[in-house]
Amino acid sequence: MYASTVRNLLVRGMLAGLIAGLLAFAVAYAVGEPPVDASIAVEEAQAAQEAGAHAGHGAAAPGGAEEEEEAVSRPVQSTVGLATGVLVYGVALGGIAALAFSFALGRAGRFGPRATAALTAAAAFTTVYLVPFLKYPATPPAVGNPDTIGRRTTLFFLMILLSVLLGVAAIIAGRRLAPRLGNWNATLTAAAGFVLATGLAFVFLPPNSDAVKPGFPAAVLWEFRLASVAVQLVLWTVFGIVFGALAQRLLTPRPSTPHPTPLPA
């Protein structure tokens, strides 16, 4: 594939990521922000109870009598801040997925641009988000132990790296097994190997036992995690559809217009 074609695909991938990010932001704002607000309310109620307990024992509340003001207000966080984060995330991942598409096109089977884009989006959703989420599910802000946030973040990104590497290894194994087993059996074998290797990673990687504080409402946690899955699902589904259409239009040769035959004099 020519460098100019890859560059054009990269631009279209970023554009598709931007469009997908806009729709993902709408979903995040509609279904993701209510559980975040509920989580903050739970945190504030617990902080008020702790402050009352300290006051009852004649001790000063932790952090002083006055609460620290937020650097960015909650309305700004839930609108401008959320939109900026989701859009940047969508554009960045759209560009990376477009490069992965450029490599996979023609190597992952006899699929056209739209089918390859859909497969790329599905693989990215599975390896970059779904598998790590199953091991280390998302939690609302400020519900875990702040002392272990660095360790929990490291484990999450390690799970992403392992998932991506195992996914690439499964694709390579499937391609090599196809001549002997056939495409269908090779795909099933590679998928089974991916599931087995991922299961072993789940067993040996340490859990995030302190990711959620004791007593946090299970309903709020469940709603937040469902919203997180919905946002990612919308993001990658829209990206696969939009980028597939853009790539199809770029890579499909246009029929040449025949020149009119001059009439005899």
Side-chain angles (χ1 to χ4, degrees):
M1 187 176 290
Y2 295 108
S4 59
T5 304
V6 174
R7 182 174 62 251
N8 290 333
L9 287 172
L10 176 62
V11 172
R12 283 160 175 77
M14 296 173 68
L15 176 60
L18 178 64
I19 296 172
L22 287 171
L23 294 179
F25 162 69
V27 175
Y29 183 79
V31 303
E33 285 304 304
V36 171
D37 290 336
S39 173
I40 294 174
V42 171
E43 180 194 8
E44 291 176 348
Q46 292 177 346
Q49 291 178 356
E50 292 176 0
H54 281 282
H57 288 86
E66 296 183 359
E67 295 183 359
E68 296 182 0
E69 294 184 359
E70 293 181 346
V72 181
S73 65
R74 175 63 187 147
V76 174
Q77 292 176 7
S78 62
T79 52
V80 178
L82 178 63
T84 302
V86 174
L87 292 179
V88 171
Y89 179 82
V91 171
L93 288 187
I96 296 173
L99 295 178
F101 167 90
S102 301
F103 177 80
L105 185 63
R107 295 184 175 92
R110 297 180 179 179
F111 298 106
R114 289 189 179 182
T116 304
L119 291 174
T120 301
F125 170 76
T126 301
T127 58
V128 176
Y129 176 76
L130 184 59
V131 170
F133 175 86
L134 294 176
K135 175 62 178 177
Y136 302 117
T139 56
V143 305
N145 185 356
D147 297 333
T148 61
I149 188 171
R151 173 179 172 273
R152 289 185 279 124
T153 302
T154 301
L155 288 174
F156 180 74
F157 281 104
L158 176 60
M159 191 65 237
I160 292 178
L161 178 61
L162 284 175
S163 177
V164 172
L165 292 178
L166 291 174
V168 172
I171 293 174
I172 295 174
R175 293 288 295 168
R176 291 185 177 180
L177 291 173
R180 288 187 294 167
L181 303 180
N183 290 333
W184 178 252
N185 291 331
T187 301
L188 290 179
T189 303
F194 174 77
V195 172
L196 177 60
T198 302
L200 292 175
F202 280 18
V203 171
F204 287 104
L205 284 176
N208 279 340
S209 56
D210 56 352
V212 180
K213 294 178 181 178
F216 187 81
V220 175
L221 183 62
W222 179 250
E223 290 175 2
F224 178 83
R225 289 176 174 173
L226 283 181
S228 176
V229 173
V231 170
Q232 292 289 331
L233 187 59
V234 168
L235 177 71
W236 286 111
T237 301
V238 173
F239 171 81
I241 295 173
V242 174
F243 179 68
L246 295 176
Q248 181 81 17
R249 185 174 182 181
L250 173 68
L251 299 175
T252 302
R254 298 180 181 179
S256 57
T257 303
H259 295 286
T261 304
L263 296 175

